[in-house]
Amino acid sequence: MTAPTPAQIAAARKNLDILRELNQEAGEHHTIKIINAYALLVGEPDNADPGLPFVLTIFENVFSILAGEAFGPAGKAAATLFGGMIAGWIDSPPPSLAASFSSYTQRYDASWRELNHQLDTLNDELGSSNPATVEKAWNTRFGFNGQTAAVADLSNAGLPPSEDSNAFDDMVDAVVFSQEQGLWRSMLQANYEALYYTWYHKGQGYGSSETLPLEWARYRMGYYPYVYYCYYDYQGGYEPPFHLICANEYVVCRKGTTNWYYLNDDACKYLFIDSTPNTVINSDGLFHREEVMNFLGIQHVETVRYCTTDNPYDWREPPRAKRSDVGPSAAAAA
């Protein structure tokens, strides 16, 4: 294999520096995100080690960001490099990660520091005065998700340097946001389920068959911000302007509870971008409401069907019990 030129080595080392800075900043930002997620989603402090596989799922979001077209060939190589490094830790963890940790925060902190250490090691080897050491590092290969990349591939362009503050900060922000999405996705899957049941609601109003269900849904969400409505049928009523709305209502609740402990208001405000489709309630939210219910892997559980048409004698609302939440400051201090 042709030996790398000094310019190629310099370019690869520069990109390793960029990746280290990116990993450093993302790691420091994600720690506070962990405290916030535990406070909002489980109301308990972070006091258990989820293990390396859990950390890998969080970092996988970073890999997908780097592999995007915005960061060119170097980004794709970096995504495979990061992924291959951390995936290799599952079966053969480095000494710094071999022990158990008392919390996810500690596990994550040790993981991004170990990633920095390995990036530094590769960079030092590329800068060695020993040609054999340089060649070995240059040809080191990693595989992840069916892709392979060599350290040599980092000599390509694509990653914005920290000197280009706007582009670099945009990359950091994208990675931080992606990691937080991965954390909330995993915690929602582990702790929540979506109970659903059917509404047959005879609503009164002047909206069309398209607008009335949305108006009714927004009205309901004013009281129950943790719900999502999927309209599978609509029928005109027999006495205009009455309309019959048929919908599935999904309620995000904690698993294993009998009182329907639902996703609390602060978590809903933080999580959801929209209420009904194209109705933005928080442009800085993590996911669209439909995405949370249907595409994050949250288990769906069918429960009691009921009908509100003319409020029949057996009409009832499911019990909706609030839980005592632990605020972020209390969770951090515990």
Side-chain angles (χ1 to χ4, degrees):
M1 183 174 292
T2 304
T5 66
Q8 288 175 317
I9 293 174
R13 296 190 70 190
K14 177 62 176 178
N15 278 330
L16 285 169
D17 284 337
I18 293 171
L19 291 175
R20 192 193 194 285
E21 291 179 84
L22 169 64
N23 184 54
Q24 177 85 23
E25 292 219 20
E28 292 173 353
H29 281 84
H30 190 63
T31 299
I32 192 64
K33 303 292 187 182
I34 296 170
I35 296 171
N36 184 58
Y38 272 84
L40 292 178
L41 288 177
V42 298
E44 300 169 0
D46 167 25
N47 56 14
D49 181 5
L52 267 174
F54 183 88
V55 174
L56 178 61
T57 65
I58 304 303
F59 274 97
E60 279 181 337
N61 280 44
V62 180
F63 312 150
S64 65
I65 292 293
L66 290 176
E69 295 301 322
F71 303 117
K76 291 180 171 59
T80 304
L81 182 92
F82 271 21
M85 278 184 177
I86 298 178
W89 297 348
I90 304 289
D91 295 325
S92 182
S96 65
L97 300 175
S100 295
F101 293 85
S102 62
S103 67
Y104 168 57
T105 303
Q106 289 190 354
R107 164 71 68 181
Y108 175 82
D109 185 73
S111 298
W112 71 258
R113 292 180 189 277
E114 178 61 33
L115 193 53
N116 271 359
H117 172 68
Q118 295 198 16
L119 291 171
D120 288 341
T121 299
L122 282 173
N123 207 330
D124 290 343
E125 289 173 348
L126 286 178
S128 172
S129 59
N130 185 337
T133 300
V134 174
E135 183 179 1
K136 180 180 178 182
W138 183 256
N139 294 321
T140 299
R141 303 189 69 82
F142 295 91
F144 184 70
N145 279 350
Q147 303 295 318
T148 60
V151 172
D153 297 322
L154 290 176
S155 63
N156 294 309
L159 296 176
S162 57
E163 300 90 272
D164 183 357
S165 58
N166 290 335
F168 180 80
D169 288 347
D170 287 345
M171 180 172 64
V172 172
D173 289 344
V175 165
V176 170
F177 182 75
S178 186
Q179 281 194 315
E180 187 173 27
Q181 283 186 315
L183 175 62
W184 277 66
R185 179 187 297 111
S186 295
M187 291 185 66
L188 284 167
Q189 290 173 355
N191 295 284
Y192 284 83
E193 60 191 6
L195 302 183
Y196 70 94
Y197 45 89
T198 303
W199 274 97
Y200 300 98
H201 176 71
K202 190 173 183 180
Q204 184 175 10
Y206 296 94
S208 68
S209 60
E210 290 78 24
T211 61
L212 184 62
L214 295 178
E215 292 168 1
W216 178 73
R218 294 186 191 112
Y219 168 78
R220 293 279 298 173
M221 288 177 191
Y223 293 94
Y224 309 120
Y226 42 82
V227 299
Y228 165 70
Y229 295 97
C230 176
Y231 301 96
Y232 64 91
D233 191 16
Y234 174 86
Q235 298 176 20
Y238 295 106
E239 304 173 44
F242 287 94
H243 304 273
L244 182 63
I245 300 170
C246 303
N248 278 345
E249 177 174 316
Y250 293 81
V251 181
V252 185
C253 302
R254 286 292 294 275
K255 287 182 178 178
T257 64
T258 57
N259 293 321
W260 282 41
Y261 286 158
Y262 52 81
L263 196 64
N264 64 78
D265 290 357
D266 288 339
C268 290
K269 291 175 183 176
Y270 195 88
L271 172 64
F272 293 122
I273 295 173
D274 54 6
S275 54
T276 54
N278 301 316
T279 304
V280 175
I281 57 176
N282 177 19
S283 59
D284 295 323
L286 296 177
F287 297 103
H288 291 279
R289 192 171 296 257
E290 181 181 11
E291 189 177 8
V292 171
M293 303 301 175
N294 291 335
F295 303 108
L296 295 192
I298 298 175
Q299 182 181 9
H300 290 181
V301 179
E302 186 172 14
T303 185
V304 178
R305 292 174 178 267
Y306 65 101
C307 174
T308 64
T309 304
D310 293 331
N311 292 337
Y313 70 92
D314 62 347
W315 176 88
R316 66 191 184 281
E317 282 273 15
R320 302 169 188 266
K322 287 190 175 181
R323 63 179 175 83
S324 299
D325 287 315
V326 178
S329 58

